[in-house]
Amino acid sequence: MKALRAGLVAPRTFELIEIDLNPEPDEILVEVAACGICSSEIPRYDGSWVDETPSFFGHEASGIVADVGSSVEHFKPGDHVTGEIRTGFATHGIAKEDRLVHVPADTPLSYALGEP
């Protein structure tokens, strides 16, 4: 599937970049609802630590499961989740099953940011 993610292309400058995302058998595709920034990412953002560009941020995200790989056992489309979702500043991200936790459906996803 096509997704958009924010890529840091220069200090304090992001561009939207289109990517293809398809979960591997042990991965989960998540529609991102909210994402925090890790303190380890701030030096890359402000330019005090230079990294390759584009650089992709956000690994403390929450969202709704959009698709699951063939070997995923504990999640299904529609589940609310949080955890280590790669490149969380995006419309969608990919996560390993063992890096996510369920979020109760009545909990606002903006309150459910974190790493399990």
Side-chain angles (χ1 to χ4, degrees):
M1 80 154 300
K2 298 283 186 195
L4 287 176
R5 66 180 174 179
L8 184 75
V9 295
R12 302 175 187 264
T13 306
F14 287 92
E15 289 182 4
L16 293 178
I17 299 169
E18 187 175 75
I19 57 168
D20 285 313
L21 288 179
N22 297 297
E24 296 292 327
D26 65 338
E27 293 180 329
I28 297 167
L29 178 68
V30 178
E31 180 180 356
V32 176
C35 186
I37 187 166
C38 181
S39 61
S40 68
E41 296 171 320
I42 294 171
R44 289 180 12 217
Y45 170 73
D46 69 15
S48 59
W49 179 38
V50 178
D51 202 358
E52 291 184 31
T53 57
S55 182
F56 300 100
F57 288 38
H59 58 266
E60 299 171 356
S62 63
I64 299 171
V65 173
D67 196 12
V68 297
S70 60
S71 67
V72 171
E73 297 180 2
H74 302 290
F75 296 91
K76 65 184 181 321
D79 286 348
H80 291 206
V81 296
T82 190
E84 190 176 327
I85 300 168
R86 291 189 300 263
T87 64
F89 290 149
T91 58
H92 295 78
I94 296 282
K96 296 284 189 184
E97 183 173 17
D98 66 349
R99 306 303 287 175
L100 291 179
V101 295
H102 287 93
V103 173
D106 62 346
T107 299
L109 288 170
S110 60
Y111 296 166
L113 301 178
E115 294 179 20

